[in-house]
Amino acid sequence: MSASPAYGEEKGGSGLGEPEYGHDPASGGIFSSDYKRHDDLKEMLDSNKDSLKLEAMKRIVAMIARGKNASDLFPAVVKNVACKNIEVKKLVYVYLVRYAEEQQDLALLSISTFQRGLKDPNQLIRASALRVLSSIRVPIIVPIMMLAIKEAASDMSPYVRKTAAHAIPKLYSLDSDQKDQLIEVIEKLLSDKTTLVAGSVVMAFEEVCPERIDLIHKNYRKLCNLLIDVEEWGQVVIINMLTRYARTQFLSPNQNESLLEENPEKAFYGSEEEDAKEDKPDAASLVKRKPYVMDPDHRLLLRNTKPLLQSRNAAVVMAVAQLYFHLAPKAEVGVIAKALVRLLRSHSEVQYVVLQNVATMSIKRRGMFEPYLKSFYIRSTDPTQIKILKLEVLTNLANETNISTILREFQTYIRSMDKDFVAATIQAIGRCATNIGKVRDTCLNGLVQLLSNRDELVVAESVVVIKKLLQMQPSQHSEIIKHMAKLTDNIQVPMARASILWLIGEYCEHVPKMAPDVLRKMAKSFTGEEDIVKLQVINLAAKLYLTNSKQSKLLTQYVLNLAKYDQNYDIRDRARFIRQLIVPTEKSGVLNKYAKKLFLAQKPAPILESSFKDRDHFQLGSLSHLLNTKAVGYQELPDWPDEAPDPSVRNVEVPEWTKCTSREKRKEKVEKPFYSDSEGESGPTESADSEPESVSESESESGSGSSSSSGSGSDSGSQGAESGDRSEERRKKKKGKEGPRKAFLDTAGSNPSEEEEEEQGKKGKRKKKPQHEGKGDSGSSWEEGSVSESSSSESDSGSEAEESQSEPESKRRPTPPSSKAAPKATRKGTKEISLLDLDDYRETEARGREGTCPRSPSRPVAELGILGLPEATARVTTAPPQPASSPSVVSTSLVTDLEGLSLTDTSLASTLLSPTFSAVRTHELLHRMAGEGLSVEYCFSRQPFVPDPHMVAVHIQFSNSAEAEVKGLRVCAPRLLPGIRLQEFPEIESLAPGDTASVVMGIDFSDSTQAANFQLCTHSRQFYVSIQPPVGELLAPVFMSENEFKKEQGKLTGMSEITEKLTLPDQCQSDQAIVQRVMVAANVSRVPCGADHVYRFAAKTVTSGSLVLITLERKDGARAQLTVNSEKMVIGTMLVQDVVQALAP
Amino acid sequence: MIHSLFLINSSGDIFLEKHWKSVVSRSVCDYFFEAQERATEAENVPPVIPTPHHYLLSVYRHKIFFVAVIQTEVPPLFVIEFLHRVVDTFQDYFGVCSEVVIKDNVVVVYEVLEEMLDNGFPLATESNILKELIKPPTILRTVVNTITGSTNVGDQLPTGQLSVVPWRRTGVKYTNNEAYFDVIEEIDAIIDKSGSTITAEIQGVIDACVKLTGMPDLTLSFMNPRLLDDVSFHPCVRFKRWESERILSFIPPDGNFRLLSYHVSAQNLVAIPVYVKHNINFRDSSSLGRFEITVGPKQTMGKTVEGVMVTSQMPKGVLNMSLTPSQGIHTFDPVTKLLSWDVGKINPQKLPSLKGTMSLQAGTSKPDENPTINLQFKIQQLAISGLKVNRLDMYGEKYKPFKGIKYMTKAGKFQVRT
């Protein structure tokens, strides 16, 4: 690299140029050479050649990297902040971030560049400007930072929003007074629905306001559902935060068991059977009988984190493991063991941390790791710290059944060359012996054998451990005590000597003959002993004096005299104290009488405990747990509450968005395959620069799009009015939805004005409340929002029509077809209406726009008049393009319906919906901001594309909100993947300001979900855009009878068949709801079917015409099975995912 | 989160420092040096060292200590895992990760580190994304850059960053489309004195090298997926599909990556492909000991065991060894007391053996532990667990890729106690 010569040069001069490295900064010589040396760099920076600048910057960065001071170059460097060359710019940023804090005044020069950067159309530049601006730590610019963050938090690019989230803790550390404002930003970003932002904002939350747990309520479910698609680092942070959250909001799942739970000590002694009983059947029976019901949100968290145990990232696995350990019911914690054991294969640093945590867990939940006992066996090549931790775990896992294998293993360890490890093993044996009564004698014998070991350390450690063991039952072991007494001659390790002396003193009555002799020897060597031994000698002397004063009186006197003149004041002190206590004089009075009691009192046996006991009050996996002290910034893991706080705080007020996101997801689904497949709705993720803000836009669209446009119409036409209060209530709900929707309409990209939303939300809430109470705590508003299909129909009209206009309609809306006996005749009628309705509606819409009408034939407007449907007229006012279903499609489905009628009547309740689910969902192709006033939306109209039947029709709408006219709109330079073809739309010659135009173009996606990339050109500019189809849009409905369907299905088995089991949510129990959801997900037509609870759909792929058959079979309860038969396996697979997604709650 | 990073070489020089927040003086590393001194070997330096104001978390790889400085509570694995990811990234960028290479590419290293963390929180750690932001240095590119003045730094946000497949860059094009998969299994085992297996488990990985144009969607199915009950996936693998069908379905990252790692645990029976007969004797009386080992194949399914290498850490009392191998080369280092014997291939007709005597330090008693023998070997075209890939299919693209699969069994931590 070109930096390397610079590097060498630097090295040569480094000694000279470093005032901070021991040179006197005042000595001019050094300074001058320093300046000289940097002069060439300055020259290079001042030159107008980018390559020279780059070279200079590279050398400077190399200096910084090595910790050399380059701060004197600040003025020269900061000038280049606006350099065009992106690499120079980046390196200048690096420099700025490093030195701005030291040179605040000069750093201010660069601010304006960043402010300009914040407005750049390139999101990478906006983001990096914000990054640097927030990183330069100059207090004066706090207000500027605050503004920039606020602005970036509502940027349309999720990447910039992510950067804003990162900037929050930076600003907070610079000026903590901004906390309140920052919390507002955090609150806003928390509600962001992209996975990209989620991790970063939770991080900011943890750094700025971890105590504001209330901010999480509303986002809890979303975070749970997004979790799996968040990048791995974000997952760790979110999981840790949610663990804390759950501890405050839910009840302990083990509360009932805790009464029965044996104390940990008992568990240790406990036999395997006991253990098993406790773990399995007991837990199972408890589940049955206990009144405790797990909060569904609690379950949601556990369910959504479980797959992450399979993550490749050890930190994620650990985070999930601790979450399960702290939150899961006892019976379920076991799943984490396998994953943790797997981590043991990782780098030794990872092992170290994991073993620490396993050690803590294995004390509480021994049964969990027992099957993996052998994975903790120690290899001679393990680093010592790993060996000792494994030993700890092995000891914790020891019980009566496996102790013999463990002890055999320990025997091997004792012969290891690593002496620290041997010492630890001996202690471990001691612990096993104290805890498992059965093997105490075996252990003791083994340890006694070790006393004759050649290695002194081993012997010493054994002595210490034996001493502790003997204390438990001394009377039986006078032999051992005698043996140890003999060891005093050989053992030199102070601790061991002291232990022996203490033992002899304590149990001198067991060795009455030897004890005085030992004292004699010790008295002889007293002066040469270590302090700890001396103290024990005094101790022994005192005890002997009290029990056997005849033999030891003189010796004691002698020892005490020696001690009296010892160098150590502690020993002098002790000697004086003991003399007073035991030797009766006339002065010493009362205490003397109790001397015996004082010295020879029964001493309780020590308990050998794991150092990991009770460490679990720290959140596992945390730094504090590892260090066993509270680290700075550690958030305590709260105890379970006694009473669960109100679970309804997590209900999300606007019931739409969960639904929206799941719809939104469908688009992504095509290429978004991942963990979250069937479960829940994770937020949308954007795929291209060109449509960054499509989230909000298309969400609002999809919210309404999810419902049938004609469903409402048909319903209202056919059925009588329903009870007044119900429609009233709906109307209120609708209002609630109106808010955000409106806001989206008037300003694309900007968020809905909060007040409005709030106000509307309140209205909705007021009305919803009673429902809640009726439903009990398990219900939640968003569930209810989509319980029946009627709610979806109303959401449609609600969003499209004016409030007043939709009122009469809603009044006439029928009750949902729970009443199965809906007469056939009405159904027929409604069908026709729906058909007309749509067509008219498209017609009027087309008329509303000028000239550029879609090429499908128009219908007589008169029909509208004939039927006089008020909704239809109401809809004319809607602004966004509402693509219509083509006549042919409609007629197909009409035939379907008629066919169905002839076959059966049960299945038909919902067939009338089929043509109506044309994809009304529009997608952003080009945002107003990015397009400089030109905004482009597209949708899949589900009409056949007339010029080429192998193409998918894409309905594109342009609107010009710029000041100037846009001329020459056309498609150019498509960069298409092989197989994809594109039929351009005719050039739009001009589009006046404020005008809209819509066109239809055809794309042959060649049955893949690859995006079609092309450029939209105007007279002055080009925009790169791409259209990506959801898999459901690559299909065209085909009609077939049930028999045909079965025949075709028979041909497409084996590899071509994909089956998936799913559970239908409450909202999807009715036939109509299911059919509706499937049809929204894919452009298919329903196959009439005789059997109840079986739904069949057929379609063919647009390009190759391969059949795609969908069968959905409802089993008892909410379970169902989805089968897709198709030659095109990819399409089949993706379709399964999409349908499952569509049917998810 | 992560405040600063120091790179320290084996001789204790800090050769690179990077700060993501305000500067932390490098004197903080003194605590680290202290701990390093206390721990006799580099592996024994505790990964977490508390100091009065900071916490030092370190990993040791390629003879370099990567020391991260943090100030507040953070999950230690988070930092450790990240540091390992940094090392992997360097390796990916420069081929090797060594002090020399890092020093030579200090600017690229700095740029990469800058992108990886923002304010101490990981920003982009996928190598596909990083490579779009900062292109890895190649000789060709360096030449081109100096001529044309273009840069290594991308000016567009990597497409992966915003897409739902962040691990794959878009617009990948190859003339030869190929996908190779290596199934590599390592046997971790402890064999006791008598030759019986104390514990044996298999750690398997499937490493892939995928060079395919466009956005291929691959599925990989196994003959016996039941074996894989303890797995961890690359984020690209669709978990649901695996759960329900036991098929690996994924859109692969571009280039080399680890698709899957799995663990066949000690509870299952693991075939041990080799055995070691040993006779190591320290006689108390004389200053000579006998040393004899023979390696032979066992349960190899007819495959040859190659690349056999025997190492053993002899006790301190051993002064020298005079040994004769029947094949291969052996060395004994009298300073570190490390015996190594490069056996090569095992010929089942003529088993390799190593025989001879050890001279022990006179006067001292015999060591109480016999040395453990560490074994390395390789068996090509065999996955010892029996795992077999059934088929690999590609969807979403038109061309026909070249597919290849390779199996290999290796010794992991394979120890024989004597």
Side-chain angles (χ1 to χ4, degrees), chain B residues 331-349:
Chain B
T331 52
F332 176 71
D333 183 346
V335 182
T336 57
K337 315 285 183 199
L338 190 74
L339 171 74
S340 64
W341 175 30
D342 190 346
V343 184
K345 224 179 253 181
I346 296 183
N347 177 1
Q349 268 73 52

Side-chain angles (χ1 to χ4, degrees), chain A residues 131 345 673 675 686 1130, chain B residues 73 114 162 203 238-239 395:
Chain A
R131 249 181 93 181
R345 187 60 215 280
Y675 294 114
E686 288 137 319
V1130 193
Chain B
E73 168 69 47
E114 183 76 24
L162 289 179
Q203 308 287 345
R238 295 170 175 107
F239 184 69
Y395 305 101

Side-chain angles (χ1 to χ4, degrees), chain A residues 56-75:
Chain A
M57 280 318 297
K58 281 184 171 171
R59 284 169 59 181
I60 293 169
V61 167
M63 283 168 71
I64 296 173
R66 280 176 304 124
K68 305 278 178 256
N69 190 359
S71 57
D72 54 326
L73 287 162
F74 202 96

Side-chain angles (χ1 to χ4, degrees), chain A residues 154-300:
Chain A
S154 42
D155 196 282
M156 53 195 179
S157 157
Y159 185 71
V160 177
R161 296 203 296 274
K162 184 186 177 73
T163 316
H166 280 284
I168 292 169
K170 298 184 205 171
L171 179 54
Y172 181 64
S173 66
L174 194 63
D175 181 7
S176 51
D177 293 345
Q178 305 292 325
K179 188 170 176 178
D180 291 340
Q181 286 195 63
L182 286 175
I183 290 177
E184 274 171 36
V185 182
I186 289 176
E187 198 172 355
K188 179 171 179 191
L189 285 173
L190 271 174
S191 58
D192 201 293
K193 290 169 206 76
T194 53
T195 50
L196 201 60
V197 183
S200 305
V201 67
V202 172
M203 183 67 231
F205 170 83
E206 289 283 80
E207 288 208 6
V208 177
C209 53
E211 73 283 352
R212 288 290 304 275
I213 211 89
D214 55 299
L215 296 181
I216 304 300
H217 292 322
K218 287 271 171 284
N219 301 296
Y220 173 83
R221 286 177 190 148
K222 182 194 66 186
L223 283 174
C224 286
N225 286 324
L226 284 183
L227 189 58
I228 214 149
D229 290 320
V230 174
E231 35 83 49
E232 41 200 0
W233 311 108
Q235 285 174 345
V236 178
V237 179
I238 295 176
I239 293 172
N240 279 320
M241 186 275 289
L242 288 180
T243 310
R244 254 183 33 241
Y245 177 84
R247 270 294 188 106
T248 59
Q249 299 299 320
F250 306 127
L251 292 177
S252 165
N254 297 318
Q255 52 183 335
N256 289 7
E257 280 153 275
S258 64
L259 301 172
L260 304 165
E261 199 179 3
E262 298 133 303
N263 55 38
E265 216 168 330
K266 176 108 185 282
F268 210 120
Y269 286 118
S271 66
E272 170 120 73
E273 298 86 72
E274 233 178 303
D275 205 49
K277 215 196 308 163
E278 175 194 31
D279 268 14
K280 285 147 215 156
D282 205 21
S285 62
L286 270 169
V287 171
K288 265 181 234 154
R289 91 178 111 91
K290 68 183 167 187
Y292 167 79
V293 180
M294 187 182 275
D295 190 302
D297 288 328
H298 190 172
R299 176 51 68 200
L300 178 76

Side-chain angles (χ1 to χ4, degrees), chain A residues 391-405:
Chain A
L391 206 57
E392 176 72 38
V393 176
L394 284 176
T395 317
N396 289 342
L397 293 182
N399 62 19
E400 286 191 14
T401 44
N402 60 21
I403 185 68
S404 54
T405 36

Side-chain angles (χ1 to χ4, degrees), chain A residues 858-878:
Chain A
S858 53
R859 281 261 150 150
V861 194
E863 274 181 26
L864 175 72
I866 294 165
L867 285 155
L869 288 173
E871 317 68 65
T873 36
R875 258 191 220 104
V876 178
T877 56
T878 51

